[in-house]
Amino acid sequence: MTARRDSAKRRTELVEAAERALLRSGLSALTVRAVAGEAGVSPGSVLYHYANTDDLVYELHRTLVDRYVAARLRAVSRIAGPAERLARAFRSGLPAGPDDASCRLLYELHGLAARSRVHAALMSSLWDREVLLYETILEAGAASGAFTLRREPHDLAQALLAMEDGLGLHLVSHNSAVPVEHALRLLTAFAADQLSCDLPDPAAGP
């Protein structure tokens, strides 16, 4: 049991080291040697726990996805009103700015889905979980009378998420035409129009 705990701890430490290395140098420079140097261990120790770099990168991607979704769920769970919950969902989904570390890493790793089935499956899972987040908020708002849905909740949830993802990509790409508050205003205005309701002013902050 102790050996298993030690192994799990070491694997977690290596994922954390890979995260730091990726943030510093990018995916193209993420090697076993780079992770080993970041973790303060030998390359052989990395390979003992992860057969190759691909396995380690996948575990890092999965960890970041789970952390991101968990943070979003925590953020909205603290809010009671549907309109306020939707506004918090927008803010929790968008990068905090162009240097948002977690979002920068996620967008970089998402690119692996184009040539990897396991990363593509991870991306599909992330999409489904985030659509469900929005769909749940929309259905609760409709049930309470706060929202008037002009289309199916699932379809609107997908539209909101697609818009959020696109804006987020421009944010981490340092597009000066899309600062965070402008992205929030665009999402809020679209949602308010679709739901025939007033939503909290994004300028008011979280």
Side-chain angles (χ1 to χ4, degrees), residues 70-171:
R72 298 199 71 178
L73 292 173
R74 282 196 306 272
V76 301
S77 69
R78 305 187 185 111
I79 311 299
E84 292 75 15
R85 184 173 290 184
L86 185 59
R88 182 60 62 88
F90 292 155
R91 193 169 283 276
S92 72
L94 287 172
D99 297 318
D100 184 311
S102 293
C103 288
R104 278 179 52 204
L105 293 179
L106 279 171
Y107 276 106
E108 185 164 4
L109 291 168
H110 288 349
L112 295 173
R115 56 184 183 273
S116 165
R117 288 184 179 179
V118 293
H119 287 280
L122 188 58
M123 284 293 297
S124 295
S125 170
L126 172 60
W127 173 266
D128 290 341
R129 292 159 75 182
E130 291 187 282
V131 167
L132 180 60
L133 169 65
Y134 275 122
E135 191 173 356
T136 301
I137 295 171
L138 295 173
E139 289 176 340
S144 70
F147 300 157
T148 300
L149 297 180
R150 296 168 55 183
R151 61 179 69 187
E152 289 298 316
H154 185 74
D155 292 344
L156 181 53
Q158 289 186 314
L160 290 170
L161 181 56
M163 188 174 180
E164 175 189 282
D165 283 348
L167 290 167
L169 179 58
H170 283 280
L171 278 166

Side-chain angles (χ1 to χ4, degrees), residues 3 15 20 25 27 32 55 87 122 125-126 128 169 178 191 194 205-206:
V15 169
R20 294 192 298 272
S25 305
L27 191 56
V32 168
D55 288 349
L122 188 58
S125 170
L126 172 60
D128 290 341
L169 179 58
V178 190
Q194 292 294 310

Side-chain angles (χ1 to χ4, degrees), residues 13-65:
E13 290 170 348
L14 291 174
V15 169
E16 292 170 348
E19 180 178 356
R20 294 192 298 272
L22 178 59
L23 189 60
R24 178 181 296 110
S25 305
L27 191 56
S28 62
L30 189 63
T31 63
V32 168
R33 188 172 297 280
V35 174
E38 190 69 47
V41 299
S42 69
S45 179
V46 177
L47 292 171
Y48 176 80
H49 294 281
Y50 291 98
N52 50 56
T53 308
D54 288 346
D55 288 349
L56 179 55
V57 169
Y58 173 77
E59 187 62 19
L60 171 59
H61 196 182
R62 186 195 64 76
T63 298
L64 291 172
V65 164

